[in-house]
Amino acid sequence: MNMFSQNPRIGQELLDVPMGQMIESMAMSIAKAQMALDSNSIEVAEMMGGLSPVKSEIGGKEFINFKDSRVFFGKEKVKVSNAIDLYNSNTDQAYRASIKDKLQTTEYEDGYSKDVVNVDKDITTATDAIFTPDNQKNAEVYYRKGTNWYSYNSISDKYETITNTPTKVAGKIMLKPGTPERFVFLPQRLSMLELGFSPTFYQFVDTIIKVSISIKFTREGSSSVDIKSDSKAQAIVLVLVGETA
């Protein structure tokens, strides 16, 4: 049989190509790429919304905190008491410094774990004491008259003297009781969404898949011819017999 007489079966070779698996693999790759784009767009939307998630791991457990991602834009008019609340609730040192710069040193003092209410008399005995501000019978505040401190016991419905002066909280300030309210202008923090920006969500709307298939045939063969001949030579001897005269 002559091996070089076989013709390539291109049609059959094309049928043997796993087209279904190839298309499925490409489609799944596109789906994963779309998911990655959506995930990135969601992170951008969270950042532009004013709060960016920050993941951290403590003791093998994952925790998610949020940081303020708003930007400074313009100024806002706020009361001094509200400015102090913003100062205590913010961790941005630059923003805290700008707030403190707008306040007068006579308007605030170091803060404690609870709000402080000033009184003009010993409230453990007096019944006509004046509370500044007026916040009576509140177990969530400290009462103070000079260097004397008091608290309210909701169970006994009585004011009690605090023997130890409450400890101040580092980095916290409070409005001095009796301070007249006024307005200050602070740097305004807005999210990018509030400023009119919006995140972009990318999508594969029209997808064209081009597939190129290259089929290469290589044929190799070899042939050999073995020729062998064997010949023998025979000598013929003629003997002539005759008579002589």
Side-chain angles (χ1 to χ4, degrees):
M1 179 178 181
N2 189 353
M3 62 182 303
F4 293 102
S5 63
Q6 297 180 357
N7 295 321
R9 300 180 303 159
I10 297 179
Q12 185 61 44
E13 297 294 339
L14 290 175
L15 291 176
D16 293 339
V17 174
M19 295 296 296
Q21 296 180 7
M22 293 174 58
I23 295 175
E24 179 184 2
S25 177
M26 287 185 286
M28 290 301 299
S29 298
I30 293 173
K32 290 180 180 179
Q34 182 67 66
M35 184 176 294
L37 290 174
D38 291 342
S39 178
N40 180 76
S41 298
I42 290 173
E43 291 181 5
V44 173
E46 291 175 342
M47 180 273 295
M48 297 177 68
L51 290 176
S52 297
V54 179
K55 296 181 180 180
S56 58
E57 186 172 328
I58 302 176
K61 295 183 179 180
E62 187 178 88
F63 295 89
I64 298 179
N65 297 317
F66 293 90
K67 68 175 182 179
D68 193 344
S69 59
R70 294 177 299 172
V71 297
F72 291 103
F73 186 84
K75 296 181 178 181
E76 59 179 336
K77 183 179 179 181
V78 299
K79 294 181 179 181
V80 170
S81 57
N82 293 335
I84 290 177
D85 291 337
L86 288 173
Y87 177 90
N88 291 329
S89 61
N90 205 284
T91 57
D92 189 331
Q93 297 301 321
Y95 187 54
R96 286 164 62 92
S98 65
I99 294 176
K100 213 169 186 178
D101 185 60
K102 300 296 181 181
L103 302 176
Q104 300 175 6
T105 55
T106 57
E107 294 177 320
Y108 66 91
E109 60 181 306
D110 293 335
Y112 299 86
S113 58
K114 298 180 182 180
D115 293 335
V116 177
V117 175
N118 282 349
V119 293
D120 64 337
K121 296 179 181 179
D122 183 355
I123 56 177
T124 59
T125 58
T127 58
D128 57 346
I130 298 176
F131 296 78
T132 308
D134 187 9
N135 197 350
Q136 301 183 39
K137 294 187 176 182
N138 187 349
E140 301 301 322
V141 302
Y142 290 126
Y143 297 95
R144 176 179 62 182
K145 180 185 181 296
T147 57
N148 297 324
W149 293 81
Y150 312 94
S151 64
Y152 173 71
N153 190 327
S154 59
I155 298 176
S156 62
D157 192 24
K158 292 181 179 180
Y159 295 101
E160 300 175 348
T161 302
I162 300 176
T163 55
N164 297 323
T165 302
T167 303
K168 295 178 180 179
V169 177
K172 182 179 180 181
I173 62 175
M174 68 177 189
L175 183 70
K176 286 186 177 180
T179 300
E181 194 69 272
R182 70 182 182 92
F183 290 91
V184 293
F185 289 90
L186 301 178
Q188 187 176 20
R189 304 194 73 169
L190 298 173
S191 68
M192 296 185 70
L193 292 179
E194 292 175 310
L195 292 174
F197 296 92
S198 60
T200 301
F201 283 82
Y202 301 94
Q203 292 185 350
F204 293 105
V205 180
D206 296 325
T207 304
I208 299 176
I209 301 175
K210 293 184 178 180
V211 180
S212 298
I213 300 176
S214 176
I215 300 177
K216 181 179 180 181
F217 288 91
T218 302
R219 296 189 298 184
E220 295 181 358
S222 63
S223 62
S224 63
V225 178
D226 187 8
I227 301 175
K228 182 178 180 181
S229 62
D230 188 7
S231 60
K232 295 182 179 179
Q234 294 180 353
I236 301 174
V237 179
L238 299 177
V239 179
L240 300 177
V241 178
E243 294 180 353
T244 61

